[in-house]
């Protein structure tokens, strides 16, 4: 592949701490596979043979020592651990691997669940010689009741305003609602080139980006940018229509530290250009296509910095960064792999009921008269007699004693649910023990050391 693949797998899962307290987000089981398996599988399916995985030492250790946590992929994974001290953003992580980046890159987040045709994004990047091509989708509506949050008012997400040209592909404008206190204003330089612009809301950034290698080089020179989504992407989109200066001036400016600081706004745009820019310019001048005015006109007559977006109108595309998204991901997971939903090593009684919409992991034991419907049962978990599990996620190594009723709940790894317990819309933390005959509804049950200090 002419692109290098980079997987971002160092995030802490700050919006789902009840789950990530004891299990790092990339390792959370989704359909009994680590969450990071899904973007890795996406890359592998389209032909990538190697990937740089940026992660933590904790995740690296789990991948190497725990068989059920190792992503089942054939591609070569070069694992790069980020420093443990300090809060490193996604742009910081790219800066950390700059020496390993030899060509343009495709960056994807470890929490992306999608069935996108990846070539749609890559083709935009190639065809338009783009600086950035990214994936966005319509905001996904999560309808399931979230354990521990029933009846609570959901915090409204701040909207993004995304401006595209008439083709719906060229990304012209991007701003978050939080940054628009004085209203939405569009620069004249954009309107001059694109007098008709469509402003879209209700879109979500999938955190999948094709980026020129020069952008990574640019980041090494501009350490103030920490986040791809929050800072780099808006910066690139905004800089498309800045006034350009000639390459020689940029070279001179870069040699003069004072002048470089004074004129940083113009330097940055042009530093993000190919090192072969002069050859590309010559090729375009002599090309029989150099007067082309169709959908490729921007590559010949546009600025050097171009941003594009592929917007998914249909299909599966969302990030697993909240508890609601995690629950939905487990519902959708069986659609994204071809393996049978019930593992061949699971011991399942002939006198139990397992719905076709359930996933049963390796070395599970399902006893007589148990009923499993629309649920996921993790590796090495035990479900004893007369247990009913409905609409729930049971992680690895869980024991559910006789006669329990589990509905709409998430049971984290190594928990023990006592005999006859009745749990509805609860989240049970890692290693927790629920007493026999307990009746719990709409609760988050975690250890005292897991509670967040205020």
């Amino acid at each position: 592949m002419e692109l290098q693949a980079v997987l971002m797998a160092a995030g802490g899962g700050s919006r789902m701490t009840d789950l990530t307290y004891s299990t790092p987000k990339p390792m959370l089981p989704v359909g009994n596979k680590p969450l990071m398996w899904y973007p890795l599988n996406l890359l592998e399916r389209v032909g990538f043979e190697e990937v740089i995985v940026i992660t933590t030492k904790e995740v690296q250790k789990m991948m190497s020592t725990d068989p059920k946590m190792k992503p089942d992929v054939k591609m070569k994974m070069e694992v790069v651990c980020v420093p443990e001290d300090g809060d490193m953003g996604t742009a910081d992580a790219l800066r950390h691997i700059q020496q390993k980046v030899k060509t343009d890159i495709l960056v994807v987040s470890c929490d992306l669940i999608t069935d996108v045709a990846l070539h749609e994004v890559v083709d935009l990047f190639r065809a338009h010689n783009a600086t950035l091509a990214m994936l966005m989708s319509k905001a996904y509506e999560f309808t399931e009741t979230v354990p521990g949050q029933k009846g609570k008012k959901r915090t409204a997400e701040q909207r993004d305003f995304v401006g595209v040209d008439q083709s719906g592909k060229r990304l012209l404008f991007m701003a978050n609602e939080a940054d628009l206190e004085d209203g939405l204003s569009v620069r004249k330089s954009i309107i001059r080139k694109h007098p008709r612009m469509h402003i879209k809301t209700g879109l979500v950034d999938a955190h999948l980006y094709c980026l020129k290698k020069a952008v990574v080089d640019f980041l090494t020179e501009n350490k103030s940018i920490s986040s791809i989504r929050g800072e780099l992407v808006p910066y690139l989109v905004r800089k498309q229509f800045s006034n350009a200066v000639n390459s020689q001036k940029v070279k001179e400016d870069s040699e003069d530290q004072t002048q470089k600081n004074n004129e940083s706004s113009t330097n940055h745009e042009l530093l993000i250009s190919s090192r072969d820019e002069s050859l590309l310019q010559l090729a375009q001048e002599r090309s029989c296509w150099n007067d082309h005015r169709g959908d490729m006109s921007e590559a010949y007559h546009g600025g050097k910095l171009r941003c594009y977006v592929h917007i998914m109108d249909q299909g599966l595309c969302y990030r697993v960064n909240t508890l609601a998204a995690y629950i939905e991901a487990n519902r959708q997971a069986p659609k994204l792999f071809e393996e049978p939903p019930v593992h061949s090593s699971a011991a399942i009684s002939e006198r139990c009921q397992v719905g076709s919409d359930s996933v049963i992991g390796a070395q599970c034991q399902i006893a007589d008269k148990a009923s499993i419907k629309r649920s996921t049962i993790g590796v090495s978990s035990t479900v004893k007699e007369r247990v009913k599990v409905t609409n729930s996620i049971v992680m690895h190594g869980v024991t559910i004693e006789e006669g329990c009723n589990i509905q709409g709940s998430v049971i984290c790894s190594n928990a023990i649910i006592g005999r006859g317990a009745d749990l509805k819309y609860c989240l049970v933390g890692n290693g927790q023990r629920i007493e026999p005959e307990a009746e719990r509804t709409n609760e988050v049950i975690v250890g005292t050391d897991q509670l967040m200090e205020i």
Side-chain angles (χ1 to χ4, degrees), residues 113-138:
I113 299 277
T114 184
D115 57 4
V116 68
L118 196 54
H119 71 85
E120 297 276 10
V121 185
V122 176
D123 288 352
L124 272 179
F125 184 69
R126 290 171 175 154
H128 298 282
N129 190 24
T131 307
L132 160 74
M134 62 186 293
L135 174 65
M136 299 190 87
S137 69
K138 290 183 177 179

Side-chain angles (χ1 to χ4, degrees), residues 6-228:
V6 178
L7 182 75
M8 294 287 183
S14 59
R15 298 170 69 186
M16 47 200 297
T17 52
D18 292 325
L19 293 179
T20 57
Y21 172 76
S22 55
T23 303
K25 183 168 75 167
M27 296 286 103
L28 283 175
V30 174
N32 287 333
K33 293 181 180 293
L35 177 56
M36 66 187 291
W37 176 87
Y38 292 90
L40 287 172
N41 179 252
L42 175 70
L43 294 169
E44 192 169 64
R45 287 202 317 266
V46 297
F48 281 97
E49 297 178 352
E50 297 181 3
V51 60
I52 300 171
V53 179
I54 304 175
T55 190
T56 62
K57 288 183 179 179
E58 182 183 11
V59 170
Q60 182 188 39
K61 183 179 179 181
M62 292 177 75
M63 288 169 61
S64 59
T65 60
D66 192 339
K68 65 177 177 288
M69 292 297 186
K70 185 175 181 180
D72 183 21
V73 291
K74 296 176 182 177
M75 65 198 306
K76 178 185 174 183
M77 292 190 292
E78 182 178 359
V79 179
V80 178
C81 294
V82 297
E84 292 182 1
D85 54 334
D87 186 18
M88 182 174 279
T90 48
D92 297 320
L94 283 185
R95 200 178 287 115
H96 187 64
I97 63 162
Q98 190 254 350
Q99 295 295 326
K100 298 181 182 295
V101 175
K102 307 300 181 187
T103 183
D104 299 340
I105 59 173
L106 189 155
V107 181
V108 60
S109 174
C110 74
D111 60 6
L112 179 62
I113 299 277
T114 184
D115 57 4
V116 68
L118 196 54
H119 71 85
E120 297 276 10
V121 185
V122 176
D123 288 352
L124 272 179
F125 184 69
R126 290 171 175 154
H128 298 282
N129 190 24
T131 307
L132 160 74
M134 62 186 293
L135 174 65
M136 299 190 87
S137 69
K138 290 183 177 179
Y140 197 94
E141 288 293 328
F142 301 109
T143 57
E144 299 287 344
T145 301
V146 178
Q149 297 180 20
K150 191 175 182 181
K152 293 182 181 178
K153 189 175 181 180
R154 261 192 269 178
T155 306
E157 294 273 340
Q158 289 182 317
R159 296 176 298 171
D160 281 326
F161 290 83
V162 179
V164 293
D165 68 359
Q166 288 181 278
S167 72
K169 299 292 186 184
R170 181 71 189 267
L171 184 56
L172 307 175
F173 176 85
M174 180 179 282
N176 188 268
E177 193 172 6
D179 302 322
L180 300 175
E181 293 178 3
D182 299 325
L184 192 154
S185 60
V186 180
R187 293 161 65 178
K188 289 180 182 177
S189 56
I190 301 176
I191 300 299
R192 276 196 295 269
K193 287 194 174 184
H194 299 274
R196 296 192 66 181
M197 176 169 64
H198 300 279
I199 301 286
K200 296 177 179 284
T201 58
L203 297 178
V204 176
D205 183 353
H207 286 220
L208 186 152
Y209 315 99
C210 291
L211 292 165
K212 288 280 191 189
K213 178 184 182 298
V215 175
V216 182
D217 297 335
F218 160 79
L219 286 173
T220 63
E221 301 295 327
N222 296 270
K223 294 182 171 57
S224 62
I225 294 177
S226 181
S227 163
I228 295 176

Side-chain angles (χ1 to χ4, degrees), residues 229-447:
R229 170 65 186 88
E231 297 168 276
L232 180 63
V233 170
Y235 179 86
L236 295 178
V237 172
R238 190 171 63 250
K239 278 292 174 183
Q240 291 178 98
F241 305 102
S242 296
N243 292 328
V245 292
N246 63 62
S247 301
Q248 182 60 37
K249 186 174 190 307
V250 172
K251 184 178 178 181
E252 292 169 0
D253 288 346
S254 63
E255 292 170 354
D256 186 330
Q257 187 63 41
T258 305
Q259 203 170 344
K260 181 180 175 184
N261 290 338
N262 291 339
E263 302 188 6
S264 59
S265 60
T266 52
N267 291 353
H268 291 169
E269 176 193 11
L270 286 165
L271 286 172
I272 308 174
S273 58
S274 170
R275 291 178 179 174
D276 300 324
E277 194 68 47
S278 58
L279 291 175
L280 287 170
Q281 186 68 33
L282 183 64
Q284 289 174 2
E285 287 171 0
R286 298 186 178 182
S287 169
C288 61
W289 289 97
N290 65 357
D291 287 323
H292 185 53
R293 296 289 173 182
D295 61 356
M296 275 294 295
S297 62
E298 282 290 341
Y300 287 90
H301 306 289
K304 294 178 181 179
L305 203 162
R306 292 182 291 278
C307 300
Y308 284 81
V309 60
H310 173 63
I311 299 173
M312 275 187 76
D313 291 320
Q314 295 180 327
L316 194 63
C317 185
Y318 57 87
R319 293 180 59 221
V320 182
N321 57 2
T322 64
L323 183 53
Y326 178 73
I327 292 168
E328 185 64 25
N330 277 275
R331 307 273 180 266
Q332 301 288 350
K335 300 176 184 177
L336 295 174
F337 51 84
E338 299 174 357
E339 302 164 20
V342 177
H343 197 276
S344 58
S345 65
I348 299 178
S349 168
E350 294 180 358
R351 298 174 63 191
C352 74
Q353 292 183 334
V354 176
S356 59
D357 50 6
S358 294
V359 177
I360 311 296
Q363 283 91 48
C364 278
Q365 297 182 37
I366 312 294
D368 289 351
K369 298 182 180 179
S371 172
I372 314 291
K373 294 180 180 178
R374 206 168 176 242
S375 296
T376 299
I377 308 297
V379 173
S380 301
S381 289
T382 300
V383 178
K384 297 192 175 178
E385 291 84 356
R386 303 185 314 282
V387 167
K388 290 184 178 180
V389 181
T390 309
N391 233 25
S392 296
I393 300 164
V394 177
M395 296 190 192
H396 306 313
V398 172
T399 299
I400 304 177
E401 302 287 356
E402 296 92 337
C404 290
N405 180 36
I406 313 291
Q407 180 180 337
S409 297
V410 177
I411 314 297
C412 294
S413 296
N414 304 313
I416 298 174
I417 312 300
R419 181 172 183 163
D422 188 346
L423 302 180
K424 294 177 181 175
Y425 305 108
C426 289
L427 188 151
V428 179
N430 190 79
Q432 294 299 301
R433 181 185 292 268
I434 303 298
E435 62 275 15
E437 308 298 333
E439 293 186 11
R440 301 289 191 93
T441 301
N442 197 33
E443 292 185 38
V444 175
I445 305 160
V446 296

